């Protein structure tokens, strides 16, 4: 019976992957969303053949970059948010961390959007981690109880879309996080007029952000 368990990568292969992903983040930040893969390989100190051996296409590399971005920039903040004694503040800090990461690496997000990499699957880790924060806030009465997971996905999409309308480095997006958090408060909430419609899956269209250094 064949053994389908993948062989663990050698230490040098793991180092090459880390160097390529790190170089990709730097190169996209410097050269923009159309940064060439040749320059990423050169900056990582590997040949272009090695890059393609580890990442068969640009989309695969961008998915790895987004995964690292989420793991290093956002996931630790989610852990801190869950331990915050104020659930509303904890959720706010996480949303701000996600937008900060997206703003810092907006060229990566633009490249991922252009490559059709942004998808529900890519953002699933973020929203799965966010659900306990929302539930905690609802149980404490500081987040409106009629908020459902699909609402939050659309809200995050709206917040990320703000980045395309301004210089992300100026942090004008913080204004809209504050407006959204006021809208999530039950204090002055009006009843929502309709149930949340199901999310549509359109090929090549991003549904949400995400994702770490």
């Amino acid at each position: 019976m064949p053994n389908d368990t993948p062989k663990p990568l050698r230490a040098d292969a793991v180092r090459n992957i880390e160097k390529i992903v790190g170089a990709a983040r730097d190169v996209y930040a410097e050269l923009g969303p159309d940064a060439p893969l040749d320059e990423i390989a050169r900056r990582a100190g590997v040949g272009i053949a090695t890059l393609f051996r580890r990442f068969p296409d640009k989309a695969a590399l961008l998915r790895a970059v987004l995964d690292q971005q989420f793991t290093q920039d956002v996931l630790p903040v989610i852990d801190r948010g869950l331990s915050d004694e104020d659930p509303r503040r904890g959720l706010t800090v996480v949303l701000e961390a996600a937008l900060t990461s997206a703003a810092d690496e907006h060229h990566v997000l633009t490249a991922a959007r252009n490559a059709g990499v942004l998808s529900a699957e890519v953002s699933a880790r973020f929203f799965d981690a966010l659900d306990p924060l929302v539930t905690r806030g609802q149980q404490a009465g500081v987040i409106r109880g009629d908020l459902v997971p699909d609402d939050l996905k659309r809200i995050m999409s709206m917040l990320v879309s703000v980045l395309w309308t301004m210089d992300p480095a100026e942090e004008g997006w913080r204004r809209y996080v504050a407006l959204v958090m006021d809208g999530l408060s039950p204090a002055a909430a009006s009843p929502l007029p309709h149930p949340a419609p199901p999310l549509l899956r359109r090929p090549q269209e991003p549904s949400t952000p995400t994702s770490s250094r």
Side-chain angles (χ1 to χ4, degrees):
M1 184 175 180
N3 184 0
D4 294 330
T5 303
K7 294 181 180 179
L9 291 174
R10 289 169 22 186
D12 60 336
V14 173
R15 284 194 297 271
N16 282 341
I17 289 172
E18 292 173 349
K19 288 191 294 184
I20 292 167
V21 173
R25 295 181 72 175
D26 292 340
V27 172
Y28 278 117
E30 294 175 21
L31 302 183
D34 296 322
L37 295 181
D38 285 350
E39 175 59 19
I40 293 172
R42 188 194 69 78
R43 192 78 62 91
V46 301
I48 191 65
T50 297
L51 186 150
F52 280 117
R53 186 159 57 248
R54 299 305 169 198
F55 302 101
D57 52 34
K58 186 176 183 179
L61 176 57
L62 286 165
R63 279 191 289 268
V65 171
L66 290 172
D67 184 67
Q68 186 188 91
Q69 183 182 345
F70 173 75
T71 301
Q72 294 185 2
D73 293 353
V74 182
L75 194 57
V77 182
I78 290 175
D79 292 337
R80 292 200 300 272
L82 283 169
S83 64
D84 195 313
E85 61 182 16
D86 181 342
R88 186 180 188 277
R89 183 174 59 203
L91 178 60
T92 302
V93 167
V94 170
L95 295 185
E96 288 178 341
L99 267 293
T100 297
S101 181
D104 287 347
E105 305 203 40
H106 61 284
H107 289 320
V108 169
L109 283 186
T110 301
R113 182 178 64 171
N114 293 344
V117 171
L118 293 181
S119 66
E121 288 73 24
V122 168
S123 58
R125 287 182 66 199
F126 175 69
F127 289 112
D128 287 347
L130 210 57
D131 283 345
L133 277 163
V134 174
T135 299
R136 185 167 168 257
Q138 290 174 322
Q139 291 172 345
V142 296
I143 299 296
R144 57 188 302 159
D146 54 358
L147 186 74
V148 299
D150 281 355
D151 290 329
L152 201 58
K153 292 174 183 177
R154 289 188 170 100
I155 287 169
M156 280 304 303
S157 290
M158 289 188 289
L159 286 173
V160 170
S161 71
V162 167
L163 297 177
W164 317 128
T165 70
M166 64 178 66
D167 179 355
E170 294 182 355
E171 297 194 343
W173 52 265
R174 291 185 183 276
R175 176 183 181 92
Y176 301 99
V177 174
L179 286 169
V180 162
M181 290 308 301
D182 282 349
L184 297 185
S185 171
S190 300
L192 294 174
H194 298 290
L199 291 175
L200 296 178
R201 303 291 181 84
R202 296 187 178 96
Q204 303 301 315
E205 285 192 9
S207 57
T208 51
T210 197
S211 7
S212 330
R213 192 176 251 164

